Amino acid sequence: MANEEHLTILRQGVRVWNEWRQRNSEIAPDLTGINLSGAFLIGIDFSNSNLSRANLSHAVLIYANLSAAIFRKSNLSNINLSRANLEGADLDNANLDEAFLQNAYLKRVNFSGASLKNSILKKSVISNTIFCGADLTLADLSETEICNANFAGLEISGNIVNGDLNGTNLTMANLSNAYLYRSDFSKANLTKANLTKAFLVDAVLWKANFTEGLLCETNLKTTKAISANLNNATLTGACIEDWIVNSITSFEGVNCEYVYLEENQKERRPSSGNFAPGEFTKLFQKSLETVDLIFRNGIDWDAFAYSFKKLEVENQGAQLDVQSIEKKGDGILVVRVTVSPDADKAKIHSEFIQGYEFAAKALEVQYQERLEDKEKVINQLFSTINQQNKLLAQTGDKVSIYYQPNSQFAGGIVDANTVDVQQIGGSIQNNNTEDFPS
């Protein structure tokens, strides 16, 4: 029950209440279970107050100070909290359905288990805030800045650097233009949610459901969409630079006319015109069955061929084949290798890099001053490879790598945008590599 002395002071109005609070800042008012439905409380100081189970439905608390206030299991439906300061407030399991929080300051607020259906948080600043298990169905978070907020669901998956929307219900929520850098949407339900022009760089979408979601012009750079459901989502104009998807990521029925492979609307695909219906799904679903090997400052093709052939021998069921070689700028080359859908891509790229580095080091250290001996050893090293390739060619099997001693490729350094693998030959110097599975 609420403290009767505190209730008596509150009944005298906002001015009297605030003056009393200034004189008695050490007191934490107890307003448990109070009924303030429809009350006009602009600018009231409810900081450090206990308003658990209070009824503030339809109340107006514009510019109110609710910092460190407790609202556990309170009814705040249809409440007006625009421009209110809720720093440190505890709204655990509170009902904020259709609440108006536009331009609100929500720092270190606890919305655990709260219902925010149809609520408006447009242009609010949400930082270090907890939304564990909150229901934001049809909520409007457009143009909202979410930084270090915790939107975690019932299953929290470790420490997330910034926003964590793990398991949150955001069905039909409006997150257009929202700033969601490094946020975690793991297991979140974003069915029919609007994320048009949202900033999701480096976000985590593990097992997130974006069915029929709008991701037009959304920045998904380095976003991890592992096992995400993007069925029937709209991705036209999205930036998918270095995003990470896997064979379980679902693109069925995706509506996409074009995408960008780099930020700031660079590297448009297709370069002109639009994808035909279903073309995006076919192209990107197929690209999931690849391993990308990234090389800086060129490639030592002798070491590459050695390591690749070793992989083929040791992973015969993986169906390895070099799909393409692309120049990415700044001396970076990407060799895309196709693999079977059930192949262990992490194992394949790890084994390749080990073999590549071993061969490159052996060739460089042992024979760097004796080119004639180096060429002799290389010829011996790959004679068996060529013989195996000839046998495979005779039987009609596909040959992945041809080694041609002493041949040259593009003057030693690749300068084309895309290179056909059968043109590979000779040596392009470098040993510095990185590799990532698609």
Side-chain angles (χ1 to χ4, degrees), residues 25-39:
S25 58
E26 75 284 358
I27 296 177
D30 185 356
L31 300 171
T32 304
I34 190 172
N35 185 359
L36 293 170
S37 178

Side-chain angles (χ1 to χ4, degrees), residues 53-75:
R53 299 190 302 280
N55 181 3
L56 287 94
S57 60
H58 297 278
V60 178
L61 287 96
I62 298 174
Y63 290 111
N65 183 357
L66 305 172
S67 60
I70 300 173
F71 289 90
R72 294 195 181 101
K73 298 184 179 180
S74 296
N75 181 5

Side-chain angles (χ1 to χ4, degrees), residues 291-309:
V291 173
D292 286 354
L293 306 172
I294 300 178
F295 300 81
R296 302 182 186 280
N297 304 316
I299 302 174
D300 184 329
W301 288 112
D302 299 329
F304 183 96
Y306 167 79
S307 183
F308 192 88
K309 178 51 64 178

Side-chain angles (χ1 to χ4, degrees), residues 339-396:
V339 299
S340 60
D342 57 346
D344 186 339
K345 291 192 283 187
K347 175 177 177 288
I348 286 172
H349 78 70
S350 176
E351 290 181 353
F352 171 85
I353 224 41
Q354 290 178 14
Y356 179 90
E357 291 177 347
F358 168 80
K361 182 177 180 180
L363 293 170
E364 182 66 22
V365 173
Q366 296 181 28
Y367 303 105
Q368 58 183 344
E369 295 181 355
R370 300 179 61 186
L371 182 59
E372 66 282 2
D373 285 353
K374 179 178 178 182
E375 294 295 340
K376 186 183 299 182
V377 171
I378 292 173
N379 292 341
Q380 294 173 352
L381 181 63
F382 290 101
S383 61
T384 302
I385 295 175
N386 286 336
Q387 290 174 8
Q388 291 176 351
N389 283 339
K390 289 177 182 178
L391 290 174
L392 289 172
Q394 291 173 3
T395 60

Side-chain angles (χ1 to χ4, degrees), residues 400-411:
S400 297
I401 291 291
Y402 289 98
Y403 175 69
Q404 300 172 353
N406 303 318
S407 63
Q408 296 298 316
F409 176 74

Side-chain angles (χ1 to χ4, degrees), residues 141-161:
L141 290 93
S142 58
E143 300 179 62
T144 298
E145 180 179 338
I146 299 176
C147 180
N148 290 311
N150 181 352
F151 283 74
L154 298 177
E155 299 180 25
I156 302 175
S157 59
N159 296 322
I160 306 302
V161 175

